[in-house]
Amino acid sequence: MTDNSNLDELVKQHQDILDAHTREHVQWHFNPETGSPYWLEKAKSFDFDPLTDVNCFEDLNKFPLFEDDELRGGPVDRWIPKALKGKPTYVFETGGTTGVPKSRVVIDDFRIDYENFSDTLPDEHFPKGANWLMLGPSGPRRLRLAVEHLAQYRGGISFCVDLDPRWVVKLIKKGKIDEVKEYSAHVIDQAMTILGAGHNIQCMFTTPKLLEALAMRLMDEGSSIEEAGIKGIFCGGTEFTQQWYRFAREELLGENVFITPTYGNTLMGLACGKPFDPADNYKITYYAPQPRAAIRVVDFDDHTKVVGYGETGRVKLFTMTKELFIPGFLERDEGEREMPHIKYPWDGVSGVRPFHKIASSTTVGVY
């Protein structure tokens, strides 16, 4: 049993860290010398001065909600802080099945995020020096480069498949389910080829649907994920439910293959899953990578009000890095507010699922 007074002290320390981080990054993004053209222009429309009126994390509620439609179209360098101009820059897209995709410019954030994530991975299941399989989307997405960096940071090499999720969503919307199955098989063919080529792959990133498809293919061929050499898997996606977690551990993987759930997107980075505890009955609780990003579970009708522990609300995201400032964005997800954990001494969220008012319009593709 964790000493509650020790946890309370850690919670307070990390709240102080978050408040200091907030002050530092608001000063950075709204200083005319260092800030980005977007935020310096936007500040003119506020009825407060970020440089003098934002002194703690709670003060971020003074900002209007961030609308992610602002991320569509160019010029994308309006998002680059003046202090970082001229550095080699990436652009990562999200969505884009229809219309102009939303994009985020990145210099080093994906590396920092995944190095921090690396520190949470148990080395016995994700051996240093082992090679990785990236069984997820390719193309203009952060994920592929991020997993590649994670593998390199841990001393390994990442092997990738080609996967275009936009094509799959188009097929689904046209009702071409047989073609979706063919495309899924094409992706799994690539993974099987990589795993069978003698690359010493022991770790992988994938999504629930693709992990299931790979495990079933291996079983059909008289093998298994474990026999293919995999020791550790980090897995993300809204399909990662409590029921699926149990199914994966008990049916797909067996007791010797470790799997950890993650929750992430292009704006936040990566939230880690609470360490597995049989007493939780496979409930999945995520903790944001504070202080670089924070999540709060807020009232459906008042996004400035946090719900009580165990209560349901919408996920509100805050991102504060030197490259990106998002002072409150309502995710398309809802869940339950969870207590701080000794490893992550700040609020968490469990039972993450599509926000009930838009759930029916969400198309989940092959991954």
Side-chain angles (χ1 to χ4, degrees):
M1 182 87 180
T2 303
D3 179 357
N4 280 342
S5 61
N6 187 25
L7 180 58
D8 290 345
E9 183 56 38
L10 280 173
V11 169
K12 186 180 178 309
Q13 284 174 18
H14 281 272
Q15 183 60 49
D16 291 344
I17 290 168
L18 182 61
D19 287 339
H21 187 87
T22 301
R23 288 191 294 274
E24 178 191 343
H25 285 76
V26 167
Q27 293 296 317
W28 169 270
H29 284 284
F30 290 94
N31 183 321
E33 303 292 311
T34 54
S36 67
Y38 174 85
W39 283 115
L40 294 176
E41 183 59 35
K42 196 80 171 170
K44 296 174 186 173
S45 67
F46 298 153
D47 58 3
F48 67 98
D49 182 352
L51 291 172
T52 56
D53 299 339
V54 178
N55 298 298
C56 62
F57 178 74
E58 200 60 34
D59 285 344
L60 293 178
N61 281 324
K62 295 177 180 178
F63 288 92
L65 280 173
F66 183 78
E67 300 291 343
D68 63 348
D69 275 344
E70 299 269 324
L71 297 167
R72 296 185 197 274
V76 293
D77 54 7
R78 70 188 182 278
W79 298 100
I80 302 173
K82 289 182 182 177
L84 302 178
K85 202 158 178 58
K87 290 183 178 287
T89 302
Y90 298 88
V91 64
F92 296 134
E93 293 181 1
T94 181
T97 307
T98 54
V100 177
K102 289 165 283 196
S103 50
R104 172 182 175 179
V105 291
V106 176
I107 297 162
D108 286 313
D109 269 350
F110 73 96
R111 297 186 186 96
I112 298 166
D113 289 343
Y114 277 71
E115 287 172 18
N116 290 344
F117 173 64
S118 175
D119 295 338
T120 73
L121 294 176
D123 288 348
E124 66 268 30
H125 301 295
F126 296 89
K128 295 278 177 73
N131 291 337
W132 285 66
L133 170 63
M134 163 48 179
L135 181 53
S138 52
R141 285 170 193 78
R142 162 189 166 109
L143 201 49
R144 197 220 104 192
L145 274 179
V147 172
E148 198 154 35
H149 181 71
L150 175 67
Q152 292 169 352
Y153 181 69
R154 297 182 68 82
I157 299 167
S158 175
F159 292 79
C160 309
V161 299
D162 244 346
L163 194 172
D164 176 6
R166 292 172 182 171
W167 179 240
V168 178
V169 172
K170 281 185 177 178
L171 292 174
I172 290 171
K173 286 184 173 174
K174 289 177 182 172
K176 297 186 174 180
I177 303 308
D178 287 345
E179 288 186 39
V180 172
K181 289 177 180 169
E182 276 185 47
Y183 193 85
S184 176
H186 161 66
V187 173
I188 299 304
D189 289 345
Q190 296 175 64
M192 293 291 288
T193 300
I194 293 168
L195 288 173
H199 292 307
N200 185 32
I201 290 168
Q202 297 179 49
C203 314
M204 67 186 284
F205 166 80
T206 191
T207 64
K209 280 186 173 177
L210 290 169
L211 179 58
E212 202 169 316
L214 177 62
M216 295 302 187
R217 176 77 70 88
L218 285 162
M219 287 176 196
D220 286 348
E221 299 195 3
S223 184
S224 67
I225 296 280
E226 182 181 353
E227 286 172 46
I230 302 294
K231 293 179 177 173
I233 300 167
F234 91 87
C235 191
T238 50
E239 308 279 291
F240 204 130
T241 61
Q242 194 168 352
Q243 295 79 2
W244 189 86
Y245 195 15
R246 179 191 297 274
F247 169 67
R249 286 183 65 108
E250 294 180 358
E251 306 291 333
L252 294 181
L253 303 177
E255 59 185 26
N256 296 324
V257 180
F258 181 89
I259 182 168
T260 185
T262 54
Y263 169 68
N265 57 38
T266 307
L267 290 185
M268 172 172 59
L270 208 56
C272 295
K274 178 183 171 187
F276 179 73
D277 179 350
D280 290 336
N281 195 29
Y282 291 92
K283 181 168 81 170
I284 301 163
T285 301
Y286 294 115
Y287 292 90
Q290 271 190 211
R292 288 169 57 79
I295 46 181
R296 295 291 178 264
V297 183
V298 299
D299 188 276
F300 289 122
D301 300 316
D302 179 1
H303 68 84
T304 65
K305 184 180 163 213
V306 174
V307 302
Y309 287 112
E311 291 181 8
T312 304
R314 194 158 173 187
V315 179
K316 186 178 181 183
L317 167 69
F318 304 82
T319 303
M320 294 177 285
T321 75
K322 285 288 195 281
E323 299 172 24
L324 183 69
F325 179 68
I326 304 286
F329 166 65
L330 289 178
E331 291 280 9
R332 289 164 181 76
D333 299 316
E334 62 182 58
E336 283 70 52
R337 182 185 179 199
E338 294 290 338
M339 298 283 287
H341 182 267
I342 197 75
K343 189 175 177 184
Y344 306 106
W346 48 81
D347 278 9
V349 59
S350 68
V352 174
R353 56 201 176 269
F355 175 45
H356 62 274
K357 288 187 178 168
I358 56 173
S360 60
S361 65
T362 307
T363 303
V364 177
V366 70
Y367 86 99

